[in-house]
Amino acid sequence: MIRIELDRISGDFGFEAKDTSGHTVRLDSSPESGGANFGVRPMQMLLMGLGGCSGMDIVSILNKQRQTIEGFHMTIDGQRETGKEPTLWEVVHIHFALKGPIDPDKAKKACELSMDKYCSVAATLREARCTITWEVSVNDETAYSTI
């Protein structure tokens, strides 16, 4: 079992979360909702987790295929449901931008394996009926897109 500890340390909604290794993350709500912009919004952190999970998968897969990754940047755009409580992520789009002497077909396959098989965060979001689309570019050339 994993344990996370949270303490309120700033205003009404400013929390600090700590994992079992002592790593910390600050969370807060927006000023419009009574927060003070002290930290990351919890739902945005879920998208950060998606990026971290899939990024680790992709790097691991490409390293096993002896691909040299000189740069890796991701953008993740999300749209939440409206008029519902709770407001879940409805649509998420990820752009994986890889740099280096990478075979575009291997990059596509690595992203596909992460999104469809290995990334637990993506699977969790899909279980909540979120549509996830993605694209991968290698050295600024589009290698593949699910759009």
Side-chain angles (χ1 to χ4, degrees), residues 50 53-58 61 96 109-120 122-123 126:
L50 173 63
C53 184
S54 63
M56 290 178 196
D57 290 340
I58 293 163
I61 293 164
F96 302 104
K109 186 64 175 173
C111 293
E112 193 171 63
L113 283 168
S114 176
M115 290 288 91
D116 296 341
K117 184 175 182 179
Y118 295 120
C119 181
S120 300
R126 278 194 305 275

Side-chain angles (χ1 to χ4, degrees), residues 80-91:
R80 291 174 69 180
E81 298 171 325
T82 56
K84 295 182 180 181
E85 291 294 333
T87 55
L88 305 178
W89 289 112
E90 185 173 41
V91 177

Side-chain angles (χ1 to χ4, degrees), residues 43-72:
M43 287 297 283
Q44 292 172 359
M45 186 174 293
L46 187 58
L47 295 186
M48 291 176 184
L50 173 63
C53 184
S54 63
M56 290 178 196
D57 290 340
I58 293 163
V59 168
S60 178
I61 293 164
L62 290 174
N63 281 345
K64 288 176 185 170
Q65 295 176 341
R66 302 194 192 299
Q67 300 296 294
T68 302
I69 304 166
E70 295 172 351
F72 191 161

